[in-house]
Amino acid sequence: MVRGQIVGRDMAFAGLLAPAGEQHVDAVRLAGDARVDPLQLVTREQTEALLEVALRHPIRTVVSALGSPPKETVERLHGLGIKVGALAGKTEHALRHKAARVDFVVAQGMEAGGHTGKVTLIILWPHMIDAVAPLPVLAAGGVGRGRQMAAALALGAEGVWCGSIWLGTRESELNPALRRRLFAAGSEHTVQSRLRPGKPARVLRSKLSDAWERPDAPPFAPMPYQTMLMVEPQLRVERGEDEQWQYYRSVRSSATCTPKPVAARSSTT
């Protein structure tokens, strides 16, 4: 299954790059009979639509995970009394965020789950903190224990930003197979890969991530085409419920080893 998907990647990618009007991109099945144009999965229009959904709730903060938020968005959110933050894996990205007038920056070391850069947290945190001062910086990258929080504060961070730790809660979106894999994984069971987004991201290692690292595998497509390419393989893996093929954007922290409610996790970390 996966082999067939990645072997056909070059032809599919060539079709997607054809000029508008010359090549129609078939809709990708997301669930059941629902179909959506994959080119609409990562557009600014879709992002703005998701923001409108968020604004229908009593939120206090909006954080951009990829890139600096647009100036008009920052101004609008500030006008609503909402704080704006942005994640950064490089100091140059943090400086762009500061120029966009965000309220805080999240310094995300390469140890973090999901999209990451190449700089380790012990080097990145103090460098970024000094570069954007006096803008507050939250430290991120596998933080799951009080000692790690203390280290972040000692390096000058105003606090910490946690992601993977919430995957171990009962309220998380993980299916049972992924949850078992997360709890069984050790700190060495993650890899940086471009298999899902086309950009480097730390994920739980699986047979699917290994397939993309084979010598005969095609190169990764740039974002957003890699994301579009991976929709169907991901759905097939989930339907097959084979734990060894499933992956998720995560870093294994000792605090994720047992399922707890969010409230309990927040009070005991």
Side-chain angles (χ1 to χ4, degrees):
M1 175 272 297
V2 175
R3 177 62 188 159
Q5 288 286 340
I6 62 178
V7 165
R9 173 267 190 198
D10 284 335
M11 290 186 292
F13 185 39
L16 292 172
L17 291 179
E22 295 182 14
Q23 174 80 23
H24 173 70
V25 180
D26 290 335
V28 175
R29 180 176 301 167
L30 295 181
D33 293 329
R35 290 178 177 270
V36 109
D37 184 342
L39 288 176
Q40 299 301 314
L41 293 174
V42 286
T43 65
R44 179 168 178 173
E45 290 75 15
Q46 191 207 26
T47 301
E48 291 174 347
L50 293 175
L51 178 60
E52 295 304 318
V53 173
L55 290 176
R56 292 202 289 267
H57 299 271
I59 61 173
R60 297 183 179 182
T61 307
V62 170
V63 179
S64 174
L66 281 176
S68 300
K71 178 182 177 181
E72 59 272 20
T73 301
V74 174
E75 291 177 349
R76 180 189 178 195
L77 293 172
H78 282 166
L80 295 171
I82 296 173
K83 300 292 186 182
V84 182
L87 277 63
K90 292 182 178 180
T91 299
E92 63 186 86
H93 297 165
L95 291 171
R96 291 178 196 165
H97 297 336
K98 183 178 181 180
R101 309 203 57 177
V102 300
D103 298 289
F104 64 92
V105 169
V106 179
Q108 183 162 283
M110 68 175 292
E111 296 88 342
H115 294 290
T116 61
K118 296 291 185 180
V119 185
T120 62
L121 57 83
I122 200 68
I123 295 174
L124 180 70
W125 289 355
H127 189 202
M128 191 176 294
I129 288 166
D130 291 343
V132 302
L135 193 67
V137 174
L138 301 181
V143 177
R145 291 294 185 186
R147 286 174 293 178
Q148 294 163 320
M149 295 172 66
L153 296 176
L155 290 171
E158 294 292 330
V160 297
W161 178 272
C162 298
S164 297
I165 190 173
W166 308 116
L167 298 178
T169 64
R170 292 172 186 163
E171 295 89 343
S172 86
E173 65 183 9
L174 297 190
N175 62 47
L178 264 176
R179 196 181 293 267
R180 288 191 295 271
R181 289 210 64 224
L182 179 70
F183 295 154
S187 57
E188 72 279 10
H189 294 151
T190 64
V191 294
Q192 271 198 341
S193 175
R194 295 176 182 263
L195 85 159
R196 178 67 179 183
K199 288 182 177 291
R202 185 167 299 282
V203 300
L204 282 174
R205 183 179 176 183
S206 70
K207 288 185 177 180
L208 187 57
S209 63
D210 287 348
W212 276 101
E213 299 299 332
R214 288 171 45 170
D216 59 342
F220 296 106
M223 190 176 184
Y225 300 107
Q226 183 70 20
T227 301
M228 295 152 55
L229 178 67
M230 286 298 295
V231 170
E232 183 59 27
Q234 176 66 26
L235 290 173
R236 293 187 184 187
V237 166
E238 290 181 358
R239 288 194 294 266
E241 298 183 350
D242 187 330
E243 294 182 26
Q244 298 306 309
W245 284 93
Q246 298 205 35
Y247 71 97
Y248 199 84
R249 302 172 297 281
S250 172
V251 57
R252 204 283 189 178
S253 165
S254 58
T256 62
C257 60
T258 54
K260 295 181 178 179
V262 168
R265 182 79 71 199
S266 301
S267 63
T268 59
T269 298

